[in-house]
Amino acid sequence: MERAKKPSAIPVSPVAPAPQVSISDDNSRVTASLPTGERVEILLHGATVISWKSATGKENIFLSSKAHLDGSKPVRGGIPLVFPIFGKPDPNIPELSQLVQHGFARSSRWEYLGKSSSESSKLPNNAGDSSVKLDFGLEDTMITDLKWNGKFSLIYSVTLSTEDLETSIVVRNTGAGNYSFKFLFHSYFKVNEISNVAVSGLEKSPFQDQLQGNKRVDPTPEAITIDSEVDRIYTASSGQPVSVLENGKTIYHVQRENLRDVVVWNPWEAKAKSMADLGPQDAYHRFICVEAGHVTDWIQLEGGDSWEDEASTRDFAADGSTYGLIELRSLPANSPTRPFQEQEDSKRMHPMVEDEIPDPPTYLSSHSEFEDEENNFTPKQKEKPVKWRDLPNKKQLAILTIARLSEPLSQTSLQAYMFYQLKSFDPNLPEPSIYFQAGLLQASFTAAQFLTALLWGRFADADWGGRKTVLLIGILGASVSCLGYGFSSSFRSAVFFRMLGGAMNGNPGVTKTMVSEIIMEKKFQSRAFVLLPMCFNIGVIIGPIMGGLLASPVENYPSLFGDNSLLGGKHGVSWMRQWPYALPNVVAAIYLFTTAMAIFFGLQEVTCSPTLSDRDGEY
């Protein structure tokens, strides 16, 4: 398996000790160690990290005593890789329905690609290299029974340093077609006693509780403690570090890059008993899973395009790839706990020793080096301005902007002919009465929308509802409203259909919410959010023009729709003569129906993820 940039070999020096890398005799695992004593071991089956030891010999990764290390099953424990699905496959998505739970990456044999080390040492007197990076690869051509149409190349890197363990993944779309995927580092952290463990850093983040049917729960002010089964998916910004504490002391830090979700899981006693490969008997007391990934919605990867977020990914993912990074920090159990606020500005966590806590350097890139000269560190490079073509999830945004355009297009077209339509209902009605009716007709839509807005908001957040469903109902309701209004023969009928359209329309708020959930990174949001008012204003311009051009077509275009015309025949188009203001509404309804089809077939729900409550012990 080839890479664009192969790592350089570790220089051989008769003086400075270098990291040692070895491959087992049966070619099943790769082990790396540093001169200072840190050690990591990766099983080629699933490229699973199964051991990570600090310089003191302390093991940081939990591995089940009953784990299958022969490649027959995914490994229970370590850091399995979840790709391209999270949880059980959705039978309603044909291209994914044949995949195994959590995808094939954790159960496939990966290829060891090589090693590299840091160019500058942090050890005393340059006594050796301070880190070693191991690269592993997996391609679609390496899997005989893939059961997935995506063409991909995965590069997985594990970097062991004196400071932390860094794992990163690059997903390249090597085909011409587009596909969607999810990814997760399924990290099992070893603890002494789970009842003394707390997870901090997610207090301000909402989560989905998988034990309550994927219920969405608002942020809670307390750290997460474990005294029963826990299975939650938190959505938090990538720069927000997460800490694992035991007896009030920080023992691990998890720092994420471009991975917005964090799964916190422990099966507790009942679920643990159902897991045949989890041991010993009290194993659930000995680990906590704090898993970084992107699983609440799908990552869209277009053929020939790239999905990348931070500027730090530029060297590693500049050739049409997706990049994710997680850094893990192990801390002595008796180390003082640094105030969490002081860590939020750091992109990389440094060791915390018993008597001193050094200031963190600025994190530069996925495999950059730190220049240490009297504690002066190279500052983070300034990010390039965001361009329109850099926006992620372009297809989803396009569907939402089309949906936003539909409302003003259909609602403002009637302004051009409303007075004449009302007068046609009752030719003897005085003009002041027509003005009053026009005001009521306009207000009826807004009033009905106001009365039902909160209900649609609740429906959009409910597990049995959803944002996509609200959009579909709103668009189809507007289509029915347009047709009914266009073919109305009385003022009462027109008011009824206007109120129906307003009552069924919860789209404005839901559309904005979906944009914020599709575009999570703040640097893209300023451009993404401007699309909605821009499209709304376009609809406000086009709508009245369309209404004016298409109203009374028999009179305005007699050669097309009148007597002895091209389309009307001998007596003209009868329904256009009977309902002269129906044509603009028919055109608007066709556009609305087309938009509804685009939403139904192309828009992905953003609030629901596969429920994991029914895992049968296979998490």
Side-chain angles (χ1 to χ4, degrees):
M1 183 173 179
E2 297 297 328
R3 286 176 296 170
K5 296 182 179 180
K6 294 185 178 181
S8 58
I10 298 177
V12 179
S13 171
V15 178
Q20 299 297 314
V21 178
S22 62
I23 302 176
S24 62
D25 293 338
D26 60 356
N27 198 30
S28 66
R29 63 190 69 186
V30 179
T31 303
S33 60
L34 299 181
T36 47
E38 293 83 357
R39 184 176 181 274
V40 67
E41 186 174 356
I42 299 95
L43 191 69
L44 290 180
H45 175 65
T48 307
V49 175
I50 57 175
S51 175
W52 168 37
K53 292 184 178 181
S54 303
T56 60
K58 171 181 173 288
E59 179 60 69
N60 302 306
I61 296 295
F62 171 83
L63 182 66
S64 169
S65 61
K66 299 180 181 179
H68 296 269
L69 304 181
D70 58 356
S72 59
K73 288 185 176 182
V75 176
R76 173 70 66 190
I79 309 180
L81 305 179
V82 175
F83 173 90
I85 61 171
F86 174 63
K88 292 183 177 180
D90 188 344
N92 297 319
I93 305 178
E95 61 269 25
L96 302 176
S97 60
Q98 299 300 314
L99 293 175
V100 296
Q101 179 164 304
H102 286 333
F104 47 74
R106 64 176 185 156
S107 56
S108 300
R109 181 178 174 87
W110 291 58
E111 179 183 348
Y112 173 51
L113 301 177
K115 62 184 178 181
S116 60
S117 68
S118 60
E119 296 176 0
S120 60
S121 175
K122 302 184 187 72
L123 301 180
N125 300 320
N126 285 331
D129 289 317
S130 61
S131 69
V132 60
K133 181 163 74 76
L134 308 176
D135 292 328
F136 304 86
L138 181 68
E139 293 181 344
D140 56 281
T141 56
M142 298 167 59
I143 304 175
T144 55
D145 189 19
L146 184 57
K147 297 180 180 179
W148 192 48
N149 294 327
K151 302 296 182 181
F152 65 90
S153 173
L154 306 182
I155 301 293
Y156 177 45
S157 299
V158 178
T159 303
L160 175 68
S161 74
T162 56
E163 301 166 339
D164 54 26
L165 182 72
E166 176 184 300
T167 59
S168 62
I169 189 75
V170 174
V171 182
R172 294 188 178 93
N173 185 347
T174 58
N178 307 335
Y179 57 77
S180 304
F181 68 92
K182 298 181 180 182
F183 184 83
L184 182 80
F185 291 106
H186 193 339
S187 309
Y188 288 73
F189 292 105
K190 189 174 183 179
V191 299
N192 292 319
E193 172 52 53
I194 190 63
S195 59
N196 298 328
V197 170
V199 180
S200 176
L202 298 171
E203 293 84 350
K204 298 181 181 179
S205 303
F207 64 89
Q208 296 177 19
D209 193 335
Q210 306 302 301
L211 302 181
Q212 300 186 51
N214 218 27
K215 179 181 178 182
R216 187 178 180 88
V217 182
D218 293 331
T220 56
E222 303 86 9
I224 306 165
T225 54
I226 313 296
D227 55 11
S228 61
E229 183 180 357
V230 173
D231 192 356
R232 302 174 180 177
I233 304 176
Y234 287 83
T235 299
S237 63
S238 294
Q240 182 176 332
V242 181
S243 296
V244 178
L245 300 88
E246 187 165 10
N247 294 316
K249 303 296 183 182
T250 304
I251 57 174
Y252 303 108
H253 278 318
V254 178
Q255 180 68 45
R256 296 163 293 124
E257 184 81 13
N258 206 26
L259 299 169
R260 72 184 192 186
D261 300 322
V262 178
V263 177
V264 179
W265 178 68
N266 183 279
W268 210 247
E269 185 175 7
K271 180 64 70 65
K273 288 182 178 179
S274 68
M275 298 178 178
D277 59 349
L278 181 60
Q281 186 174 0
D282 65 343
Y284 68 94
H285 283 278
R286 309 302 173 212
F287 72 87
I288 176 70
C289 285
V290 180
E291 313 159 27
H294 191 123
V295 296
T296 51
D297 64 358
W298 297 94
I299 300 171
Q300 308 290 330
L301 192 58
E302 299 181 1
D305 259 7
S306 65
W307 177 84
E308 52 186 315
D309 217 343
E310 294 291 335
S312 59
T313 64
R314 62 191 184 279
D315 293 334
F316 205 62
D319 53 347
S321 57
T322 298
Y323 173 80
L325 168 71
I326 176 175
E327 294 180 3
L328 311 176
R329 156 114 347 263
S330 171
L331 308 176
N334 60 347
S335 64
T337 303
R338 189 176 188 180
F340 200 77
Q341 294 83 353
E342 296 181 19
Q343 301 166 6
E344 291 184 349
D345 293 334
S346 172
K347 282 288 185 179
R348 183 168 184 156
M349 299 302 160
H350 270 236
M352 293 185 179
V353 295
E354 190 165 355
D355 298 322
E356 116 179 297
I357 304 175
D359 292 330
T362 303
Y363 176 63
L364 298 179
S365 72
S366 61
H367 54 291
S368 62
E369 310 303 334
F370 295 100
E371 297 180 4
D372 188 353
E373 185 176 344
E374 297 181 357
N375 294 328
N376 292 324
F377 297 92
T378 304
K380 184 179 178 179
Q381 297 180 3
K382 185 178 180 180
E383 292 186 4
K384 297 180 180 179
V386 174
K387 299 179 181 179
W388 285 105
R389 65 172 178 266
D390 298 330
L391 284 176
N393 294 324
K394 296 182 183 67
K395 289 185 177 179
Q396 301 297 295
L397 281 175
I399 295 174
L400 290 176
T401 53
I402 291 172
R404 189 68 180 118
L405 175 65
S406 64
E407 181 184 342
L409 188 68
S410 59
Q411 301 306 325
T412 62
S413 65
L414 55 86
Q415 295 175 359
Y417 56 82
M418 181 185 293
F419 176 86
Y420 301 98
Q421 184 182 25
L422 291 173
K423 193 171 183 64
S424 70
F425 293 156
D426 186 357
N428 298 320
L429 199 67
E431 288 191 0
S433 297
I434 295 177
Y435 300 151
F436 178 70
Q437 287 184 353
L440 287 179
L441 202 58
Q442 286 282 51
S444 61
F445 178 90
T446 307
Q449 191 177 46
F450 170 77
L451 293 174
T452 59
L454 292 179
L455 297 177
W456 287 121
R458 290 185 178 181
F459 185 87
D461 287 335
D463 295 334
W464 42 269
R467 308 202 188 321
K468 180 177 178 179
T469 305
V470 171
L471 286 180
L472 280 172
I473 293 174
I475 295 294
L476 293 175
S479 180
V480 173
S481 173
C482 281
L483 291 175
Y485 178 82
F487 288 94
S488 293
S489 300
S490 66
F491 173 68
R492 290 184 179 181
S493 175
V495 171
F496 171 78
F497 282 107
R498 287 286 290 163
M499 292 187 68
L500 177 66
M504 297 181 70
N505 189 355
N507 292 4
V510 172
T511 304
K512 295 176 183 177
T513 301
M514 291 191 75
V515 170
S516 68
E517 291 170 335
I518 289 174
I519 309 297
M520 294 289 291
E521 298 298 327
K522 290 184 178 180
K523 67 179 183 179
F524 295 122
Q525 289 180 348
S526 61
R527 291 188 179 269
F529 278 112
V530 80
L531 292 173
L532 297 183
M534 182 176 66
C535 288
F536 184 89
N537 290 330
I538 292 174
V540 170
I541 295 171
I542 297 176
I545 296 174
M546 181 183 74
L549 289 174
L550 299 181
S552 298
V554 173
E555 295 181 6
N556 293 329
Y557 308 103
S559 61
L560 289 176
F561 306 108
D563 296 341
N564 301 312
S565 63
L566 179 64
L567 300 178
K570 182 177 180 181
H571 302 291
V573 181
S574 59
W575 66 269
M576 291 184 180
R577 191 183 299 277
Q578 183 177 356
W579 294 286
Y581 305 102
L583 183 58
N585 292 278
V586 170
V587 173
I590 293 174
Y591 176 83
L592 287 165
F593 183 78
T594 304
T595 301
M597 292 300 98
I599 292 173
F600 183 79
F601 291 107
L603 188 64
Q604 294 180 352
E605 182 61 84
V606 295
T607 59
C608 299
S609 64
T611 178
L612 304 180
S613 57
D614 183 22
R615 283 190 291 241
D616 298 329
E618 290 299 327
Y619 188 76

